[in-house]
Amino acid sequence: MPMDTNILHNISYGMYIVCANRAEKLNGQIVNTLFQITNSPITLAVSINKNNLTHEYIRAGKRFSASILSEETPLAFIGAFGFKSGRETDKFVNVQYRILESGCPAVLDYAVGYLEAKVICEFDCGTHTVFLGEMVTAEVTGAGRVMTYDYYHQVKRGTTPPSAPTYMRIAAATAAGPAMPKYRCTVCNYIYDPALGDPDSGVAAGTPFAELPDNWSCPVCGVDKTKFVPVE
Ligand code: FE
């Protein structure tokens, strides 16, 4: 029988910040594996790596919140929640959030809304635990298109659609000379593409890696230029 795991790239996901708390301690992380499972009652399932601090806190507080991110979410914001551990940094500094009645936090920045679920059971899935929760709180706090996992990879990290205002500048930069090498972050695998620049950090399309300012850092995980290697 065929076994082509490429099929998995065709499964769709969203982009969420899932938060939990242990008493006064708060943590949150980026999650793409969050799904509504039933409607009566409304239940949601989320898959969390057992090594993550959020896993520990969901078990402790028996709650989790999920903030649904919009397409406007900057890479750096996703990076702060997705590539850093709450054991080393306080992820809530300079972030707008709400403490719900249960004590569980919910992030408000760049979110179109959030929900909170009370854990009713969990499934041991080896590296991960799937928590099943019943929705107990939900609020729409913003508008805009929600970010899909595919959008995050295809648009935020690499290519740009022809409808984007930067598209013509990219074409001009590419046409002006030989292709400039791309560089890959060895920590998070973000690709710096000179043709695209890093608009979130104010770096114009057409800027070679060597001309990035010394204080430039990976827009996803925050490490400095020395952690990058040329692609190919
Ligand atoms: Fe990185």
Side-chain angles (χ1 to χ4, degrees):
M1 295 297 284
M3 180 60 173
D4 185 351
T5 54
N6 284 316
I7 193 69
L8 300 175
H9 298 305
N10 297 300
I11 294 178
S12 297
Y13 309 89
M15 287 289 285
Y16 312 97
I17 296 181
V18 166
C19 294
N21 70 298
R22 179 195 281 281
E24 307 289 302
K25 289 184 177 172
L26 315 177
N27 199 50
Q29 66 165 81
I30 296 290
V31 160
N32 65 302
T33 48
L34 172 89
F35 305 94
Q36 182 180 352
I37 303 298
T38 59
N39 198 44
S40 183
I42 299 171
T43 59
L44 296 114
V46 65
S47 177
I48 302 285
N49 191 297
K50 288 178 181 174
N51 294 326
N52 290 359
L53 187 59
T54 308
H55 186 279
E56 192 181 314
Y57 285 8
I58 292 176
R59 278 226 171 120
K62 299 275 184 244
R63 304 265 173 163
F64 62 87
S65 74
S67 300
I68 299 158
L69 295 176
S70 72
E71 286 184 352
E72 277 70 56
T73 312
L75 278 180
F77 190 79
I78 295 171
F81 276 94
F83 289 92
K84 298 207 166 74
S85 171
R87 293 189 178 93
E88 282 128 39
T89 60
D90 179 356
K91 297 186 181 183
F92 290 83
V93 174
N94 298 325
V95 170
Q96 288 190 72
Y97 61 96
R98 183 168 298 161
I99 300 287
L100 307 174
E101 263 178 43
S102 63
C104 180
V107 169
L108 302 176
D109 286 335
Y110 306 109
V112 300
Y114 67 86
L115 58 88
E116 180 195 23
K118 180 180 181 182
V119 174
I120 50 180
C121 64
E122 61 173 69
F123 307 96
D124 186 333
C125 299
T127 54
H128 289 63
T129 298
V130 171
F131 294 99
L132 183 69
E134 184 173 338
M135 191 164 83
V136 291
T137 314
E139 186 178 0
V140 175
T141 56
R145 291 170 59 88
V146 298
M147 189 184 292
T148 63
Y149 197 54
D150 188 57
Y151 181 92
Y152 169 65
H153 284 292
Q154 301 302 326
V155 182
K156 298 295 274 189
R157 300 188 75 173
T159 63
T160 304
S163 59
T166 53
Y167 189 73
M168 290 307 289
R169 283 193 286 124
I170 293 161
T174 308
M180 291 175 283
K182 298 175 185 177
Y183 279 72
R184 181 177 62 83
C185 175
T186 54
V187 174
C188 74
N189 285 324
Y190 165 82
I191 303 284
Y192 176 77
D193 182 348
L196 300 173
D198 175 15
D200 278 359
S201 307
V203 174
T207 306
F209 184 82
E211 288 178 21
L212 289 171
D214 288 339
N215 62 357
W216 181 83
S217 58
C218 174
V220 176
C221 74
V223 297
D224 65 37
K225 286 174 70 177
T226 64
K227 301 293 194 300
F228 278 73
V229 295
V231 176
E232 289 155 355

